mmCIF file of all heavy atoms in Angstrom:
data_model
loop_
_atom_site.group_PDB
_atom_site.id
_atom_site.type_symbol
_atom_site.label_atom_id
_atom_site.label_comp_id
_atom_site.label_asym_id
_atom_site.label_seq_id
_atom_site.Cartn_x
_atom_site.Cartn_y
_atom_site.Cartn_z
ATOM 1 N N LYS Y 1 1.679 -24.700 -23.911
ATOM 2 C CA LYS Y 1 2.059 -25.417 -22.742
ATOM 3 C C LYS Y 1 3.515 -24.969 -22.456
ATOM 4 O O LYS Y 1 3.835 -24.758 -21.228
ATOM 5 C CB LYS Y 1 2.110 -26.965 -23.064
ATOM 6 C CG LYS Y 1 2.657 -27.852 -21.853
ATOM 7 C CD LYS Y 1 2.615 -29.265 -22.229
ATOM 8 C CE LYS Y 1 3.118 -30.142 -21.021
ATOM 9 N NZ LYS Y 1 4.578 -29.664 -20.582
ATOM 10 N N GLU Y 2 4.466 -24.834 -23.458
ATOM 11 C CA GLU Y 2 5.825 -24.474 -23.126
ATOM 12 C C GLU Y 2 5.760 -22.960 -22.553
ATOM 13 O O GLU Y 2 6.520 -22.695 -21.729
ATOM 14 C CB GLU Y 2 6.581 -24.416 -24.428
ATOM 15 C CG GLU Y 2 6.926 -25.854 -25.028
ATOM 16 C CD GLU Y 2 7.866 -26.581 -24.093
ATOM 17 O OE1 GLU Y 2 8.465 -25.959 -23.183
ATOM 18 O OE2 GLU Y 2 8.063 -27.741 -24.378
ATOM 19 N N LEU Y 3 4.961 -22.083 -23.097
ATOM 20 C CA LEU Y 3 4.740 -20.804 -22.639
ATOM 21 C C LEU Y 3 4.380 -20.798 -21.100
ATOM 22 O O LEU Y 3 4.921 -20.124 -20.263
ATOM 23 C CB LEU Y 3 3.669 -20.052 -23.371
ATOM 24 C CG LEU Y 3 3.184 -18.699 -22.753
ATOM 25 C CD1 LEU Y 3 4.301 -17.655 -22.813
ATOM 26 C CD2 LEU Y 3 2.103 -18.045 -23.664
ATOM 27 N N ASN Y 4 3.284 -21.621 -20.726
ATOM 28 C CA ASN Y 4 2.863 -21.674 -19.397
ATOM 29 C C ASN Y 4 3.920 -22.239 -18.403
ATOM 30 O O ASN Y 4 4.107 -21.697 -17.305
ATOM 31 C CB ASN Y 4 1.643 -22.556 -19.252
ATOM 32 C CG ASN Y 4 0.393 -21.835 -19.925
ATOM 33 O OD1 ASN Y 4 0.422 -20.524 -19.854
ATOM 34 N ND2 ASN Y 4 -0.580 -22.576 -20.420
ATOM 35 N N ASP Y 5 4.710 -23.195 -18.971
ATOM 36 C CA ASP Y 5 5.805 -23.816 -18.136
ATOM 37 C C ASP Y 5 6.791 -22.854 -17.883
ATOM 38 O O ASP Y 5 7.238 -22.685 -16.671
ATOM 39 C CB ASP Y 5 6.323 -24.991 -18.884
ATOM 40 C CG ASP Y 5 5.514 -26.294 -18.922
ATOM 41 O OD1 ASP Y 5 4.441 -26.234 -18.246
ATOM 42 O OD2 ASP Y 5 5.842 -27.077 -19.808
ATOM 43 N N VAL Y 6 7.307 -22.099 -18.807
ATOM 44 C CA VAL Y 6 8.384 -21.084 -18.522
ATOM 45 C C VAL Y 6 7.953 -19.909 -17.637
ATOM 46 O O VAL Y 6 8.690 -19.445 -16.878
ATOM 47 C CB VAL Y 6 9.111 -20.717 -19.892
ATOM 48 C CG1 VAL Y 6 8.266 -19.797 -20.629
ATOM 49 C CG2 VAL Y 6 10.355 -20.043 -19.484
ATOM 50 N N TYR Y 7 6.690 -19.553 -17.955
ATOM 51 C CA TYR Y 7 6.033 -18.503 -17.116
ATOM 52 C C TYR Y 7 6.097 -18.889 -15.558
ATOM 53 O O TYR Y 7 6.334 -18.099 -14.680
ATOM 54 C CB TYR Y 7 4.694 -18.231 -17.675
ATOM 55 C CG TYR Y 7 3.781 -17.311 -16.660
ATOM 56 C CD1 TYR Y 7 4.063 -16.000 -16.513
ATOM 57 C CD2 TYR Y 7 2.747 -17.896 -15.961
ATOM 58 C CE1 TYR Y 7 3.327 -15.083 -15.820
ATOM 59 C CE2 TYR Y 7 1.968 -17.094 -15.293
ATOM 60 C CZ TYR Y 7 2.202 -15.737 -14.989
ATOM 61 O OH TYR Y 7 1.392 -14.814 -14.290
ATOM 62 N N ASN Y 8 5.662 -20.021 -15.309
ATOM 63 C CA ASN Y 8 5.533 -20.580 -13.997
ATOM 64 C C ASN Y 8 6.952 -20.755 -13.372
ATOM 65 O O ASN Y 8 7.215 -20.539 -12.177
ATOM 66 C CB ASN Y 8 4.802 -21.881 -13.900
ATOM 67 C CG ASN Y 8 3.268 -21.660 -14.020
ATOM 68 O OD1 ASN Y 8 2.739 -20.766 -13.546
ATOM 69 N ND2 ASN Y 8 2.700 -22.692 -14.716
ATOM 70 N N LEU Y 9 7.916 -21.177 -14.113
ATOM 71 C CA LEU Y 9 9.375 -21.166 -13.689
ATOM 72 C C LEU Y 9 9.843 -19.938 -13.283
ATOM 73 O O LEU Y 9 10.545 -19.705 -12.236
ATOM 74 C CB LEU Y 9 10.206 -21.829 -14.727
ATOM 75 C CG LEU Y 9 10.066 -23.333 -15.070
ATOM 76 C CD1 LEU Y 9 10.897 -23.797 -16.231
ATOM 77 C CD2 LEU Y 9 10.624 -24.151 -13.793
ATOM 78 N N ILE Y 10 9.594 -18.813 -14.146
ATOM 79 C CA ILE Y 10 10.084 -17.485 -13.748
ATOM 80 C C ILE Y 10 9.251 -17.080 -12.483
ATOM 81 O O ILE Y 10 9.916 -16.487 -11.495
ATOM 82 C CB ILE Y 10 9.664 -16.505 -14.772
ATOM 83 C CG1 ILE Y 10 10.409 -16.867 -16.012
ATOM 84 C CG2 ILE Y 10 9.981 -15.024 -14.409
ATOM 85 C CD1 ILE Y 10 10.243 -15.984 -17.299
ATOM 86 N N LEU Y 11 8.097 -17.285 -12.390
ATOM 87 C CA LEU Y 11 7.258 -16.943 -11.085
ATOM 88 C C LEU Y 11 7.989 -17.409 -9.844
ATOM 89 O O LEU Y 11 8.056 -16.751 -8.765
ATOM 90 C CB LEU Y 11 5.834 -17.272 -11.120
ATOM 91 C CG LEU Y 11 4.934 -16.459 -12.044
ATOM 92 C CD1 LEU Y 11 3.488 -17.119 -12.010
ATOM 93 C CD2 LEU Y 11 4.870 -15.044 -11.582
ATOM 94 N N LYS Y 12 8.430 -18.746 -9.896
ATOM 95 C CA LYS Y 12 9.088 -19.283 -8.724
ATOM 96 C C LYS Y 12 10.309 -18.675 -8.331
ATOM 97 O O LYS Y 12 10.659 -18.693 -7.136
ATOM 98 C CB LYS Y 12 9.256 -20.841 -9.146
ATOM 99 C CG LYS Y 12 8.004 -21.694 -9.149
ATOM 100 C CD LYS Y 12 8.387 -23.116 -9.451
ATOM 101 C CE LYS Y 12 7.119 -24.048 -9.645
ATOM 102 N NZ LYS Y 12 7.465 -25.327 -10.018
ATOM 103 N N LYS Y 13 11.005 -18.011 -9.227
ATOM 104 C CA LYS Y 13 12.291 -17.431 -9.049
ATOM 105 C C LYS Y 13 12.287 -16.113 -8.454
ATOM 106 O O LYS Y 13 13.094 -15.459 -7.811
ATOM 107 C CB LYS Y 13 13.220 -17.412 -10.263
ATOM 108 C CG LYS Y 13 13.867 -18.728 -10.544
ATOM 109 C CD LYS Y 13 15.158 -18.526 -11.452
ATOM 110 C CE LYS Y 13 15.947 -19.796 -11.500
ATOM 111 N NZ LYS Y 13 17.162 -19.530 -12.289
ATOM 112 N N LEU Y 14 11.061 -15.347 -8.697
ATOM 113 C CA LEU Y 14 10.950 -13.990 -8.499
ATOM 114 C C LEU Y 14 10.521 -13.616 -7.120
ATOM 115 O O LEU Y 14 9.729 -14.409 -6.470
ATOM 116 C CB LEU Y 14 10.058 -13.222 -9.478
ATOM 117 C CG LEU Y 14 10.417 -13.175 -10.961
ATOM 118 C CD1 LEU Y 14 9.325 -12.589 -11.813
ATOM 119 C CD2 LEU Y 14 11.780 -12.444 -11.132
ATOM 120 N N PRO Y 15 10.942 -12.468 -6.386
ATOM 121 C CA PRO Y 15 10.328 -12.001 -5.145
ATOM 122 C C PRO Y 15 8.964 -11.641 -5.402
ATOM 123 O O PRO Y 15 8.548 -11.414 -6.516
ATOM 124 C CB PRO Y 15 11.338 -10.860 -4.778
ATOM 125 C CG PRO Y 15 11.939 -10.495 -6.122
ATOM 126 C CD PRO Y 15 11.952 -11.647 -6.905
ATOM 127 N N ALA Y 16 8.189 -11.341 -4.342
ATOM 128 C CA ALA Y 16 6.721 -11.063 -4.378
ATOM 129 C C ALA Y 16 6.319 -10.004 -5.230
ATOM 130 O O ALA Y 16 5.474 -10.099 -6.006
ATOM 131 C CB ALA Y 16 6.317 -10.946 -2.949
ATOM 132 N N LYS Y 17 7.072 -8.779 -5.038
ATOM 133 C CA LYS Y 17 6.708 -7.628 -5.878
ATOM 134 C C LYS Y 17 6.904 -7.862 -7.464
ATOM 135 O O LYS Y 17 6.096 -7.555 -8.256
ATOM 136 C CB LYS Y 17 7.505 -6.501 -5.481
ATOM 137 C CG LYS Y 17 7.217 -5.194 -6.168
ATOM 138 C CD LYS Y 17 7.994 -4.021 -5.741
ATOM 139 C CE LYS Y 17 7.763 -2.734 -6.480
ATOM 140 N NZ LYS Y 17 8.551 -1.616 -6.022
ATOM 141 N N GLU Y 18 8.003 -8.587 -7.771
ATOM 142 C CA GLU Y 18 8.191 -8.855 -9.173
ATOM 143 C C GLU Y 18 7.167 -9.972 -9.684
ATOM 144 O O GLU Y 18 6.745 -9.849 -10.817
ATOM 145 C CB GLU Y 18 9.639 -9.415 -9.324
ATOM 146 C CG GLU Y 18 10.702 -8.394 -8.893
ATOM 147 C CD GLU Y 18 10.636 -7.019 -9.716
ATOM 148 O OE1 GLU Y 18 10.336 -7.098 -11.012
ATOM 149 O OE2 GLU Y 18 10.610 -6.007 -9.112
ATOM 150 N N LYS Y 19 6.827 -10.730 -8.868
ATOM 151 C CA LYS Y 19 5.758 -11.767 -9.260
ATOM 152 C C LYS Y 19 4.418 -11.039 -9.668
ATOM 153 O O LYS Y 19 3.818 -11.316 -10.740
ATOM 154 C CB LYS Y 19 5.397 -12.731 -8.121
ATOM 155 C CG LYS Y 19 6.494 -13.848 -7.994
ATOM 156 C CD LYS Y 19 6.024 -14.700 -6.879
ATOM 157 C CE LYS Y 19 7.061 -15.786 -6.604
ATOM 158 N NZ LYS Y 19 6.765 -16.762 -5.413
ATOM 159 N N THR Y 20 4.057 -10.140 -8.841
ATOM 160 C CA THR Y 20 2.793 -9.388 -9.040
ATOM 161 C C THR Y 20 2.989 -8.597 -10.407
ATOM 162 O O THR Y 20 2.019 -8.543 -11.195
ATOM 163 C CB THR Y 20 2.552 -8.308 -7.954
ATOM 164 O OG1 THR Y 20 2.630 -9.008 -6.798
ATOM 165 C CG2 THR Y 20 1.381 -7.437 -8.225
ATOM 166 N N LYS Y 21 4.133 -7.980 -10.716
ATOM 167 C CA LYS Y 21 4.318 -7.267 -11.957
ATOM 168 C C LYS Y 21 4.213 -8.191 -13.123
ATOM 169 O O LYS Y 21 3.676 -7.897 -14.231
ATOM 170 C CB LYS Y 21 5.713 -6.522 -11.845
ATOM 171 C CG LYS Y 21 5.690 -5.369 -10.961
ATOM 172 C CD LYS Y 21 7.193 -4.958 -10.772
ATOM 173 C CE LYS Y 21 7.671 -4.235 -12.081
ATOM 174 N NZ LYS Y 21 9.026 -3.524 -11.839
ATOM 175 N N LEU Y 22 4.869 -9.325 -12.987
ATOM 176 C CA LEU Y 22 4.958 -10.426 -14.130
ATOM 177 C C LEU Y 22 3.442 -10.936 -14.358
ATOM 178 O O LEU Y 22 3.034 -11.039 -15.515
ATOM 179 C CB LEU Y 22 5.836 -11.552 -13.782
ATOM 180 C CG LEU Y 22 5.872 -12.539 -14.980
ATOM 181 C CD1 LEU Y 22 6.336 -11.993 -16.340
ATOM 182 C CD2 LEU Y 22 6.707 -13.668 -14.570
ATOM 183 N N LYS Y 23 2.704 -11.150 -13.274
ATOM 184 C CA LYS Y 23 1.234 -11.585 -13.459
ATOM 185 C C LYS Y 23 0.475 -10.503 -14.254
ATOM 186 O O LYS Y 23 -0.383 -10.868 -15.150
ATOM 187 C CB LYS Y 23 0.751 -11.817 -12.063
ATOM 188 C CG LYS Y 23 1.183 -13.091 -11.498
ATOM 189 C CD LYS Y 23 0.517 -13.335 -10.108
ATOM 190 C CE LYS Y 23 1.068 -14.652 -9.472
ATOM 191 N NZ LYS Y 23 0.521 -14.818 -8.058
ATOM 192 N N ALA Y 24 0.619 -9.328 -13.944
ATOM 193 C CA ALA Y 24 -0.114 -8.197 -14.521
ATOM 194 C C ALA Y 24 0.341 -8.063 -15.990
ATOM 195 O O ALA Y 24 -0.422 -7.926 -16.871
ATOM 196 C CB ALA Y 24 0.131 -6.907 -13.859
ATOM 197 N N GLU Y 25 1.625 -8.148 -16.245
ATOM 198 C CA GLU Y 25 2.128 -8.222 -17.541
ATOM 199 C C GLU Y 25 1.540 -9.282 -18.475
ATOM 200 O O GLU Y 25 1.138 -9.111 -19.604
ATOM 201 C CB GLU Y 25 3.682 -8.257 -17.579
ATOM 202 C CG GLU Y 25 4.336 -8.334 -18.915
ATOM 203 C CD GLU Y 25 5.832 -8.635 -18.733
ATOM 204 O OE1 GLU Y 25 6.462 -8.271 -17.852
ATOM 205 O OE2 GLU Y 25 6.400 -9.396 -19.795
ATOM 206 N N GLN Y 26 1.571 -10.542 -17.840
ATOM 207 C CA GLN Y 26 1.034 -11.629 -18.584
ATOM 208 C C GLN Y 26 -0.428 -11.620 -18.930
ATOM 209 O O GLN Y 26 -0.902 -11.814 -19.987
ATOM 210 C CB GLN Y 26 1.419 -12.959 -17.910
ATOM 211 C CG GLN Y 26 1.037 -14.276 -18.570
ATOM 212 C CD GLN Y 26 1.932 -14.424 -19.780
ATOM 213 O OE1 GLN Y 26 2.925 -13.753 -20.019
ATOM 214 N NE2 GLN Y 26 1.716 -15.473 -20.536
#
C-alpha cells in the first residue's frame, strides 16, 4: 500500500513524458 501511495504521488508531480517512463519502469 505504501509503495502504491508514493508511486501515485510521484505520478502527480511528473510531466506527461516522465509519467510514461515511470509507468513503464514500474
Side-chain angles (χ1 to χ4, degrees):
K1 179 182 180 302
E2 291 289 352
L3 169 61
N4 291 330
D5 286 348
V6 70
Y7 169 71
N8 288 320
L9 285 171
I10 293 175
L11 283 179
K12 289 178 182 178
K13 279 198 169 188
L14 293 178
K17 183 179 177 181
E18 296 303 314
K19 283 182 182 177
T20 302
K21 288 172 67 175
L22 180 61
K23 286 178 180 178
E25 176 191 324
Q26 187 68 3

